[in-house]
Amino acid sequence: MSDDLPTGVERRSFDGQERLATQGETVYGEPTKDGWRVWDAGRSKLGAMLELGMDTSLEGGETVLYLGAASGTTVSHVADFSGPTYAVEFAPRPVRDLVGVAEARDNLFPLLKDARDPESYAHVVEADVDCIVMDVATRGQADVANRNRQFLADDGRLLMAVKARSEDVTADPDDVFEDVLESLESSYEVLETTRLDRFHTDHLGIVARPK
């Protein structure tokens, strides 16, 4: 466990409560103070991973490939402290919101693509990214991570939130997580896992590095 936050992410006081925060334009109505905006761990799996003290190895300034960006809640915070940030989302409606989020962030590149088909954006995303952040609510989450391994630098990190109900709504989440971790072993060495239930029910946070 670690409480090392990346440069550009701080714990700031909002209404007397310590909250994660980044500096940037507001996106989802989050509280702001002195140029800082709350990074709501209840609305962000990566925020929850940081809040729970997982060792993400993020230092700030990384090149990031974000899979499952949706309308930009979490990836907006990532772009606030990272370098080039590629945001993949396959649903057109949230991508419209994502494009709006990117207008205030020169380093955020929205891609209307399917994370299950990395070849469709391989011509855009640079090789050897420092970090893949993955929050994809689809069956076959490990397969998506394995297919996108090609973009990750040898010393990079996969930061993944597994949603048990997306894999199998009837299965015991522990069994789902075990299957996902086993499937990841073909491409990754898992460094740390933590249940995110305090913020996100039936989710598992995973930190892994490529084999």
Side-chain angles (χ1 to χ4, degrees):
M1 286 295 201
S2 165
D3 198 37
D4 288 337
L5 295 173
T7 300
V9 182
E10 295 186 5
R11 294 187 188 278
R12 311 280 295 194
S13 180
F14 291 84
D15 296 327
Q17 186 181 0
E18 290 283 302
R19 306 282 298 275
L20 290 177
T22 62
Q23 289 178 296
E25 294 283 327
T26 59
V27 170
Y28 53 100
E30 66 279 19
T32 60
K33 184 179 176 185
D34 301 328
W36 290 83
R37 61 191 191 103
V38 167
W39 187 349
D40 185 351
R43 296 184 61 168
S44 167
K45 317 306 187 312
L46 181 60
M49 290 169 72
L50 289 169
E51 194 70 83
L52 293 168
M54 295 187 74
D55 185 2
T56 64
S57 294
L58 290 170
E59 296 178 349
E62 286 89 357
T63 299
V64 176
L65 173 59
Y66 194 106
L67 305 176
S71 56
T73 298
T74 297
V75 79
S76 67
H77 288 289
V78 172
D80 284 348
F81 68 85
S82 297
T85 303
Y86 301 94
V88 175
E89 173 55 47
F90 79 98
R93 176 67 191 88
V95 169
R96 289 204 289 274
D97 295 333
L98 190 58
V99 168
V101 171
E103 284 173 359
R105 292 169 174 82
D106 294 340
N107 62 326
L108 180 56
F109 306 106
L111 299 171
L112 177 58
K113 300 289 184 182
D114 189 336
R116 292 170 294 189
D117 181 19
E119 295 309 320
S120 68
Y121 46 88
H123 63 293
V124 179
V125 178
E126 57 193 271
D128 296 335
V129 302
D130 301 305
C131 178
I132 294 175
V133 180
M134 186 173 150
D135 180 15
V136 177
T138 183
R139 195 181 284 263
Q141 291 165 86
D143 187 44
V144 173
N146 290 336
R147 289 185 193 181
N148 282 273
R149 154 72 181 87
Q150 61 181 294
F151 298 111
L152 196 56
D154 290 341
D155 60 349
R157 290 289 183 273
L158 169 70
L159 307 177
M160 179 177 179
V162 179
K163 183 178 183 180
R165 291 172 187 164
S166 292
E167 292 291 342
D168 187 340
V169 75
T170 63
D172 184 296
D174 286 332
D175 294 337
V176 172
F177 298 147
E178 194 174 316
D179 289 346
V180 168
L181 290 167
E182 192 175 308
S183 298
L184 286 175
E185 284 177 3
S186 64
S187 303
Y188 297 93
E189 177 190 352
V190 174
L191 303 176
E192 184 180 357
T193 63
T194 297
R195 288 286 291 257
L196 306 182
D197 293 76
R198 183 174 140 201
F199 299 102
H200 302 278
T201 303
D202 296 337
H203 281 73
L204 182 72
I206 298 173
V207 179
R209 65 184 171 205
K211 283 185 171 176

